[in-house]
Amino acid sequence: AAQALGIAQASLDVAAKYASERVAFGKPIATLYAIQHKLSEMACRLESSRLLTWRAAADKDAGRPFSKQAAMAKLCASETATFCAHQAIQ
């Protein structure tokens, strides 16, 4: 899950940087609603995946059962990484 989070975070970072630097119609494309929506959806999915991963890690550290949380974190994080990578190249 942590590796997928890194991929998703890197995708978001690159997309946000590009959106702030790329100019269309005389202003950065980051000011366009469609781009803001893409970036915010990427950030929301990334944050939820990160929280699931932290919860699984906290349960493991506390000696509680964590298999379900770890599976959920891996699924969500891998789907988030794929989504963010695809959105970053749009």
Side-chain angles (χ1 to χ4, degrees), residues 9-84:
Q9 183 68 58
S11 298
L12 176 59
D13 292 346
V14 168
K17 183 176 185 290
Y18 178 79
S20 65
E21 293 173 352
R22 173 76 165 93
V23 175
F25 310 111
K27 57 186 177 181
I29 63 171
T31 62
L32 300 173
Y33 176 77
I35 302 301
Q36 292 172 353
H37 183 266
K38 281 181 185 284
L39 293 174
S40 65
E41 187 169 2
M42 291 167 71
C44 285
R45 290 185 185 208
L46 176 60
E47 189 64 22
S48 65
S49 296
R50 182 175 287 128
L51 290 172
L52 278 170
T53 303
W54 286 348
R55 180 176 173 199
D59 284 348
K60 182 178 185 332
D61 286 347
R64 294 187 295 261
F66 64 95
S67 295
K68 178 182 169 186
Q69 287 77 13
M72 289 167 50
K74 287 191 281 187
L75 173 64
C76 189
S78 63
E79 288 181 351
T80 296
T82 301
F83 175 81
C84 288

